[in-house]
Amino acid sequence: MSLQVIKDGYGKNTGVFIPMSDWDIITQKHEDLRQLVPNERTPKKKLSELAGTLSHETAEDMLKYVAESRNEWEERLKKQFE
């Protein structure tokens, strides 16, 4: 069994990941564990259902931020290779 221990940012153990193949073996021996995990799959949503729109102002702010970041990056590169 290849368990993976999940840790938080402080290195404290917070959970365990069990591969589905191992989970299937465990639940064959202990059928009551199957009740812990819902078997129903959530239907996938279309991207168009999740997508939204940005206001013109927000879009402009984002483009301005990207342009400023790019300019800062290019300036740092120039200084590094002078």
Side-chain angles (χ1 to χ4, degrees):
M1 186 176 302
S2 56
L3 298 177
Q4 294 177 10
V5 176
I6 301 168
K7 298 177 183 262
D8 64 13
Y10 300 104
K12 180 181 175 188
N13 294 345
T14 59
V16 177
F17 173 81
I18 303 171
M20 286 307 297
S21 57
D22 294 334
W23 179 253
D24 291 337
I25 293 169
I26 293 169
T27 56
Q28 286 174 359
K29 294 178 183 177
H30 306 280
E31 291 187 24
D32 57 322
L33 291 176
R34 291 181 195 214
Q35 297 171 5
L36 296 175
V37 180
N39 252 352
E40 300 173 17
R41 294 186 180 230
T42 307
K44 292 184 178 181
K45 292 186 177 186
K46 294 180 181 178
L47 183 58
S48 59
E49 293 174 7
L50 301 172
T53 58
L54 296 174
S55 69
H56 182 71
E57 182 180 285
T58 301
E60 288 294 321
D61 288 346
M62 290 174 72
L63 289 171
K64 181 181 174 185
Y65 177 80
V66 169
E68 288 172 357
S69 297
R70 184 180 299 122
N71 290 338
E72 289 174 13
W73 176 260
E74 289 173 355
E75 288 300 317
R76 277 191 251 146
L77 281 177
K78 285 179 190 176
K79 289 179 183 176
Q80 185 177 2
F81 292 106
E82 287 181 345

